[in-house]
Amino acid sequence: MRMTGAGLGALGFVLCWGGGLALASQEDAPRGYRIAQELLVGDGTVLEVLEDRRITAQLHAQSWGSGLDEETFDESTDSEHQPQLQARVRLVSDVGEVLAEQALGYPLAKVEKAPLSGLPYPAFFLTVDQTAPMGTYSGPATQILAPTRSRLEPLVYRDEDGKQRPLTMAQTGKAAWQVLSSTQAGSTDSIAQVSSAPASEGDDFVTTYRIYRWVDGQWTTASRQQPGYWDAESEFPEPAAFP
């Protein structure tokens, strides 16, 4: 079993280079942004995370998982006159052409190579910090990107009703996820998500155990619920707890 959800918050900015790719210049960033992170995709393209130029690597690390507002910026900046910019992710060719770009809705984001064995394409975890100033039901949300086949659209899964939905994993005070290594040769790793929420009636809680599996060329899900409470201070459930 490999934990990825909890570990994402501890990651800093990592610039990855290889294959003769030239280091990008901050001059290539859009106005008001800086290139905060770059990762090679494997087909000559590069995934870039853009953040407000006033968000330094240190400020990013300090603010991750606790929320970031304009008052966080250093008083010496001109943040009072310039609204905070939301993070963006973009796919750039080996000659610097922007092939696709998406706004992420929040100021902090990061990307990493997804440690998912068995997929037929390179996959990446894009995590956007959606943490609110108060409460335990918000936090970093992670999607799976497969730039070589779907550009920057997040991968979807088929739910129990057969509907296609974006595959998003939450890391909050009452939710967590892990990559579960496959025990069968040639099989794809799965993703387990546990979450707890108030029951529809009364003061009790219900915990949902959900698992995402790669089956016949697409992500599917199965889940079960049981009475009880789970939070981030609890141990992550054993694999046998998931359907």
Side-chain angles (χ1 to χ4, degrees):
M1 181 183 298
R2 301 193 300 274
M3 183 170 66
T4 59
L8 285 169
L11 290 175
F13 290 94
V14 179
L15 299 182
C16 297
W17 312 101
L21 182 70
L23 204 73
S25 168
Q26 290 299 335
E27 295 179 356
D28 297 326
R31 181 180 178 87
Y33 283 94
R34 73 183 185 93
I35 301 173
Q37 191 180 11
E38 296 181 298
L39 285 178
L40 287 173
V41 171
D43 61 352
T45 59
V46 181
L47 271 178
E48 293 184 348
V49 173
L50 307 173
E51 289 186 341
D52 191 304
R53 61 179 176 80
R54 296 163 292 182
I55 302 176
T56 64
Q58 181 180 5
L59 181 56
H60 174 108
Q62 292 173 345
S63 304
W64 188 267
S66 59
L68 175 70
D69 56 40
E70 294 188 16
E71 296 179 358
T72 308
F73 291 130
D74 189 293
E75 294 180 356
S76 64
T77 70
D78 54 356
S79 59
E80 182 178 350
H81 306 290
Q82 295 185 14
Q84 180 176 267
L85 299 175
Q86 57 184 277
R88 305 181 72 85
V89 62
R90 67 182 185 178
L91 186 65
V92 182
S93 73
D94 56 355
V95 294
E97 178 186 1
V98 177
L99 302 174
E101 186 170 357
Q102 294 284 345
L104 300 177
Y106 294 83
L108 302 178
K110 60 182 63 171
V111 66
E112 68 165 332
K113 185 71 165 56
L116 291 168
S117 299
L119 287 178
Y121 49 77
F124 296 80
F125 286 149
L126 172 66
T127 302
V128 180
D129 189 1
Q130 301 181 5
T131 305
M134 299 180 64
T136 58
Y137 288 96
S138 68
T142 300
Q143 296 179 333
I144 303 178
L145 300 182
T148 56
R149 56 178 276 159
S150 61
R151 297 305 185 190
L152 294 181
E153 297 179 3
L155 296 185
V156 299
Y157 71 96
R158 190 184 74 243
D159 67 13
E160 287 99 329
D161 296 326
K163 297 180 179 179
Q164 300 286 323
R165 301 183 183 277
L167 204 170
T168 303
M169 296 87 72
Q171 187 76 26
T172 74
K174 293 183 175 64
W177 60 277
Q178 289 187 358
V179 172
L180 302 184
S181 299
S182 173
T183 58
Q184 299 180 355
S187 296
T188 305
D189 295 341
S190 55
I191 301 172
Q193 170 89 64
V194 59
S195 60
S196 187
S200 57
E201 297 181 0
D203 298 327
D204 295 332
F205 276 76
V206 173
T207 296
T208 301
Y209 301 86
R210 180 177 298 276
I211 193 161
Y212 300 98
R213 295 186 177 92
W214 177 258
V215 179
D216 295 332
Q218 63 180 328
W219 286 99
T220 63
T221 189
S223 66
R224 70 177 185 86
Q225 292 184 323
Q226 70 178 41
Y229 178 80
W230 187 95
D231 65 19
E233 296 184 359
S234 307
E235 292 290 333
F236 194 85
E238 293 296 322
F242 297 89

